[in-house]
Amino acid sequence: MTDIPPPVAERRPYSFTIHGTTVEDPYHWLKDPNYPEVEDQDVLAYLKAENAYFESVMAPHRPLIDRLYEEMKGRIKDDESSVPQKDGDWLYWTAFETGGQYRLWWRKPVAGGPDQLLLSEPELAEGHEYFRLGAFAVSNDGRHLAYAIDDSGAERFEVRVKNLETGEHLPEVIPGMLSDIVWTADDSGFLYGVANEQWRTDNARFHRLGTPVAQDVELFKEADEGFRVAVAETSSRAWIVIGTGDHVTSEVRLLPANDPLAEPILVAPRLVGREYDVDEHEGTLFIHTNDIDPQFRLCTAPVADPGRWTELIAPSADFYMTGVECYRDFFVVEGREDGLDQVLIHSYDGGESKRIAFPEASYAAGLGDNPEYHVEKLRLGYESMVTPGTVYDYHLATGALETLKVQEIPSGYDGSRYRTERLKIAARDGTPVPVSIVYPADFPRDGTGRVFLYSYGAYGHAIPPGFSTGRLSFLDRGFAYAIAHIRGGDDLGQQWYLDGKLEKRENTFNDFVDVARGLIAEGWTAEGRIAIAGASAGGELMGAVVNSDPELWGAVIADVPFVDVLNTMLDADLPLTPGEWPEWGNPIEDPAAFALIRGYSPYDNVRAQAYPPLFISGGLNDPRVTYWEPAKWAAKLRATKTDDKLLLLKTNMGAGHGGKSGRFDSLREAAEEHAFVLWQMGVEG
């Protein structure tokens, strides 16, 4: 297969004792003490050796990778552009040039006139291995653009301001930003937040155009190291929102958009476990909150007395309310019923709501970009596992859905070749777990089929049953593709999320394994014929299930996997750790949390057994799952596992959490992972 042997990381004695337990960690040295700078030559040598081994092993499969890449690229419209959307006097849209990796941002006058190029991502990305555009905010008068860029993957953005009338940039540049950007009503400046030394946004600041950044005014400072500060605006743009919170608790303040230096109005003080967010309509606050029920409810309150909440829409056992947006003449409630997206239009006078009907039994749908407050139609997005992404305008007067755009697949797509279903598979405790599955029309149900199973299962993040062009490369080679909507996400409501976190975390892992066993029992597949994938916290899931049930999996993709859970939650100096304790538990303060995390943390539970083939990825500049988590895990697996199945570790030396940033570079990485799965599952290209 290759002349290069797999790298063997040195074991160096290291241990620590906490709560009366001594933990040995011989690969601790892979964490560079100078992080986020990674300069330790031994660390770099190991990562480079793993990358060289990866390249050597995959070299014979480059023809398959190239073939998959061309397939995937052929399904992407080369000069793709978005549907223009009106905001004030302008129509805004984005577009790719033929062969372009990054977007161009355009606008033109509603009244007529030439197209105007606002920003060229390709120019900004020139010479950088990585590029990402963060916040992008045009001033209300259309004269200035404030935007933020990251050229390393470390998510430390730099804010720049461009005069759109002259094309020149203003001299002020703001480094280290990590937030959105919100302009004041008079466009004299904007609000933003800067990350502190621990990469935590604990502030909201006001920058006045034409003044030194050093003179920016701090409007709010958060004292709790676990909370993050964010800035936004209400739909009417009359109020600027300063929000702070962690994964379970939130607190909101309001500033008049025409007076950002005013004393912020506190809507309601933080109460542990209570989440709320706020919009506003003509002096009335619309407050979306879980204060009495995890399904959420909608309350109102006067801006003048924001703590006096009156229930407008009660919580429902069947409807999980996920958000509310106010417009001049109506408001929209989004939510899910049985895991499927719903959009409801409500009148302010209390009349009966209108539910937008969607055409399929399983789908993903929701509000698109609707920047204006006074609208007569709503931009919506829709897709399913067999229906490409579709952009609609919903006409409020008639209830008609007008199709504006259907995702174009240049190489061709025939949805009739595929079938999709929504299954329910019982977990070991009897809980029915939804599974969205798409498969070729002739897929066998005799246990001989191959299944690609994906999931995430954390932070209350649902995985919608949407469309993917990359997935077609598996379907067209006979695979079924399934999404397990396991506990830990909020696919079936916030309680579904709560039932997969903290002391109930193992429900997430068990659900995934039980879905796989259910697919086997129902004839979809068999042991060893299931490929699985997960990223970040979903990579933690991958680590847990290869420890517990390794025989089930034929191939495993673990992207930027959060597998060193115990050590990360014990390190309060890492950027995310204090804010993560409500999600995982605080093993520093709580012996029970320490024991629980130690019991499932994938790195800590690697054992001497056979493991399935593994493809592990990491990013050297990743601030979310630091590079040493996948590196330590791979090193320990190599030293411990009893089989000779393939284990690959690929570290992006110039990227962060999301891998390579260009649309075609990212496809190349996807093609490598697809090729690995096909190879290990015995499918010829």
Side-chain angles (χ1 to χ4, degrees):
M1 180 167 50
T2 176
D3 294 331
I4 299 180
V8 177
E10 183 182 350
R11 293 171 58 90
R12 299 181 184 177
Y14 177 84
S15 64
F16 60 91
T17 301
I18 184 170
H19 304 307
T21 299
T22 298
V23 177
E24 304 284 344
D25 187 2
Y27 302 105
H28 172 81
W29 66 270
L30 286 168
K31 174 185 175 182
D32 191 319
N34 293 317
Y35 178 82
E37 299 297 324
V38 184
E39 299 170 338
D40 186 294
Q41 292 305 304
D42 288 349
V43 171
L44 292 171
Y46 171 68
L47 297 178
K48 290 174 182 177
E50 286 282 8
N51 282 351
Y53 177 67
F54 171 86
E55 294 295 339
S56 178
V57 168
M58 295 301 289
H61 305 281
R62 284 294 158 191
L64 174 57
I65 293 168
D66 292 342
R67 196 154 57 247
L68 288 163
Y69 172 74
E70 292 300 330
E71 279 180 23
M72 295 177 185
K73 188 176 179 184
R75 300 187 192 113
I76 294 177
K77 192 169 187 292
D78 214 353
D79 56 351
E80 180 69 52
S81 62
S82 64
V83 179
Q85 178 62 299
K86 180 178 177 294
D87 187 3
D89 296 331
W90 301 88
L91 288 168
Y92 292 87
W93 73 98
T94 63
F96 288 94
E97 291 182 311
T98 298
Q101 295 259 37
Y102 300 98
R103 288 179 174 84
L104 301 169
W105 294 72
W106 293 92
R107 73 177 180 183
K108 64 180 176 182
V110 173
D115 296 351
Q116 179 184 359
L117 179 62
L118 302 179
L119 197 68
S120 169
E121 289 187 29
E123 286 185 11
L124 294 169
E126 185 71 32
H128 297 288
E129 186 176 346
Y130 178 95
F131 174 81
R132 178 182 165 195
L133 180 68
F136 180 97
V138 177
S139 59
N140 299 289
D141 60 13
R143 294 179 58 201
H144 289 95
L145 165 66
Y147 64 96
I149 62 170
D150 168 18
D151 58 16
S152 73
E155 299 183 36
R156 288 163 169 82
F157 291 86
E158 179 181 274
V159 180
R160 302 174 182 176
V161 184
K162 182 178 181 180
N163 184 318
L164 296 177
E165 294 179 336
T166 66
E168 301 297 319
H169 279 80
L170 276 61
E172 54 256 44
V173 172
I174 305 173
M177 187 276 260
L178 189 63
S179 76
D180 283 331
I181 292 170
V182 179
W183 288 90
T184 58
D186 64 0
D187 296 318
S188 62
F190 53 82
L191 276 72
Y192 69 98
V194 167
N196 62 19
E197 290 182 359
Q198 283 75 38
W199 189 78
R200 302 167 191 159
T201 306
D202 60 3
N203 59 87
R205 301 183 181 187
F206 172 61
H207 173 73
R208 190 177 297 279
L209 293 188
T211 65
V213 173
Q215 295 178 11
D216 288 0
V217 180
E218 187 169 79
L219 305 176
F220 175 74
K221 177 80 168 182
E222 174 56 60
D224 190 320
E225 63 180 353
F227 277 42
R228 301 290 182 273
V229 177
V231 295
E233 61 186 347
T234 59
S235 297
S236 67
R237 303 184 187 174
W239 297 90
I240 295 173
V241 179
I242 300 176
T244 183
D246 58 14
H247 291 296
V248 300
T249 304
S250 53
E251 184 177 77
V252 172
R253 288 168 174 80
L254 298 174
L255 285 171
N258 60 6
D259 188 7
L261 301 181
E263 183 68 24
I265 299 170
L266 175 63
V267 175
R270 65 192 67 179
L271 184 63
V272 174
R274 179 175 70 182
E275 296 177 82
Y276 71 95
D277 53 83
V278 176
D279 206 346
E280 179 269 345
H281 176 259
E282 295 184 2
T284 297
L285 300 178
F286 283 67
I287 303 160
H288 168 242
T289 180
N290 69 344
D291 61 343
I292 65 170
D293 194 291
Q295 291 289 81
F296 282 75
R297 64 174 180 154
L298 181 62
C299 296
T300 60
V303 171
D305 190 4
R308 181 161 58 87
W309 294 8
T310 301
E311 184 173 275
L312 182 64
I313 300 177
S316 164
D318 300 319
F319 183 82
Y320 173 45
M321 187 185 300
T322 57
V324 177
E325 281 200 31
C326 293
Y327 296 87
R328 193 190 72 173
D329 301 324
F330 61 93
F331 65 95
V332 177
V333 172
E334 292 189 277
R336 286 196 287 276
E337 283 184 357
D338 196 28
L340 293 177
D341 295 327
Q342 308 294 331
V343 180
L344 289 86
I345 315 297
H346 290 261
S347 62
Y348 290 111
D349 62 12
E352 188 174 349
S353 65
K354 297 179 184 177
R355 184 180 299 237
I356 299 178
F358 296 107
E360 294 176 278
S362 179
Y363 60 86
L367 289 176
D369 179 29
N370 293 281
E372 293 193 325
Y373 188 52
H374 177 209
V375 292
E376 296 176 348
K377 53 190 177 183
L378 282 174
R379 183 68 48 86
L380 300 171
Y382 176 89
E383 58 189 289
S384 79
M385 294 187 84
V386 295
T387 302
T390 305
V391 179
Y392 291 118
D393 267 350
Y394 174 79
H395 291 262
L396 292 144
T398 64
L401 278 175
E402 176 190 1
T403 302
L404 302 179
K405 180 182 178 181
V406 178
Q407 180 181 354
E408 185 178 335
I409 302 173
S411 60
Y413 173 72
D414 179 2
S416 68
R417 296 175 53 198
Y418 313 102
R419 303 287 182 269
T420 186
E421 296 181 34
R422 193 167 176 85
L423 314 174
K424 292 285 182 70
I425 294 177
R428 63 195 66 181
D429 64 0
T431 301
V433 179
V435 181
S436 300
I437 189 165
V438 61
Y439 53 94
D442 59 354
F443 187 83
R445 296 289 294 274
D446 57 4
T448 64
R450 296 177 177 86
V451 171
F452 191 105
L453 181 62
Y454 177 80
S455 198
Y456 183 72
Y459 299 110
H461 179 65
I463 303 297
F467 188 76
S468 164
T469 56
R471 185 186 299 154
L472 296 174
S473 291
F474 285 124
L475 298 179
D476 291 346
R477 288 170 174 81
F479 280 71
Y481 189 105
I483 300 169
H485 303 284
I486 57 180
R487 283 173 282 188
D490 70 347
D491 306 63
L492 296 187
Q494 194 182 46
Q495 191 61 50
W496 197 249
Y497 159 51
L498 298 175
D499 286 342
K501 65 180 291 193
L502 295 172
E503 70 278 358
K504 298 180 180 180
R505 181 60 183 157
E506 295 206 24
N507 282 340
T508 301
F509 313 140
N510 293 341
D511 284 359
F512 188 84
V513 170
D514 295 343
V515 162
R517 294 197 182 278
L519 291 171
I520 292 170
E522 294 182 14
W524 289 93
T525 189
E527 266 192 19
R529 298 180 75 80
I530 306 173
I532 59 175
S536 197
E540 177 203 290
L541 170 66
M542 297 299 99
V545 302
V546 297
N547 283 339
S548 67
D549 297 85
E551 73 284 354
L552 287 177
W553 324 119
V556 182
I557 303 293
D559 286 319
V560 290
F562 177 40
V563 285
D564 196 11
V565 185
L566 182 63
N567 282 308
T568 293
M569 289 299 102
L570 285 169
D571 190 345
D573 291 330
L574 286 175
L576 269 62
T577 293
E580 299 289 300
W581 288 328
E583 181 76 17
W584 312 106
N586 183 346
I588 300 173
E589 304 290 340
D590 183 356
F594 171 84
L596 178 69
I597 295 170
R598 190 174 185 227
Y600 69 73
S601 175
Y603 173 69
D604 295 277
N605 287 279
V606 170
R607 62 196 67 158
Q609 64 180 18
Y611 279 83
L614 281 150
F615 183 125
I616 303 166
S617 73
L620 191 68
N621 299 329
D622 189 347
R624 298 180 181 272
V625 176
T626 47
Y627 76 87
W628 60 81
E629 294 208 31
K632 289 172 61 179
W633 185 43
K636 190 172 185 180
L637 281 165
R638 284 204 193 285
T640 309
K641 69 191 189 83
T642 60
D643 63 274
D644 59 359
K645 295 190 182 76
L646 189 58
L647 186 158
L648 297 176
L649 170 66
K650 178 185 179 183
T651 303
N652 263 310
M653 305 302 278
H657 198 58
K660 290 188 180 296
S661 54
R663 62 170 174 161
F664 298 129
D665 288 345
S666 62
L667 278 187
R668 178 72 66 178
E669 292 192 326
E672 289 177 339
E673 295 184 355
H674 281 50
F676 175 85
V677 169
L678 294 173
W679 170 26
Q680 297 304 313
M681 298 284 282
V683 178
E684 298 302 320

